[in-house]
Amino acid sequence: MPALWIAHVHVTDADAYGKYAKLAGPAIAKHGGSFVARGGKYVTLEGKERARHVVARFPSVEAAEECYNSPEYQAALDFARGASERDLIIVDITE
């Protein structure tokens, strides 16, 4: 069953986070992920305000988890740690 990887991000160090983004995209693609939304216009109706929102579609929850735990993504994530406040979830798509 397909899944969505949904990240809500507040960037605190744009240079370091830019390095994360440059590496994260290829890691996500390697694991079958494709971006549905990456930045762009948004409206916060409830919850904590985060200025960046990213949604990627994966073939399954397992594929998204494998991506997150992969050496490639973890190398990218090293740049995001300390450069952002993030919430990241993976959820099945019910079709």
Side-chain angles (χ1 to χ4, degrees), residues 65-95:
E65 281 186 285
E66 287 173 16
C67 175
Y68 183 85
N69 293 313
S70 71
E72 300 88 359
Y73 187 78
Q74 288 298 307
L77 197 53
D78 284 343
F79 290 103
R81 291 185 180 108
S84 62
E85 298 169 10
R86 302 162 26 106
D87 295 313
L88 176 62
I89 64 163
I90 300 166
V91 62
D92 276 330
I93 298 174
T94 51
E95 299 183 271

Side-chain angles (χ1 to χ4, degrees), residues 10-89:
H10 171 67
V11 176
T12 57
D13 181 339
D15 292 335
Y17 200 81
K19 293 173 186 174
Y20 157 78
K22 186 174 182 178
L23 295 172
I28 288 169
K30 180 178 178 179
H31 290 87
S34 60
F35 290 104
V36 176
R38 198 173 188 184
K41 184 178 177 181
Y42 70 93
V43 176
T44 300
L45 298 176
E46 294 184 24
K48 190 170 185 173
E49 178 76 17
R50 303 285 175 130
R52 184 165 175 78
H53 307 278
V54 178
V55 179
R57 182 183 177 108
F58 281 85
S60 65
V61 167
E62 294 78 16
E65 281 186 285
E66 287 173 16
C67 175
Y68 183 85
N69 293 313
S70 71
E72 300 88 359
Y73 187 78
Q74 288 298 307
L77 197 53
D78 284 343
F79 290 103
R81 291 185 180 108
S84 62
E85 298 169 10
R86 302 162 26 106
D87 295 313
L88 176 62
I89 64 163

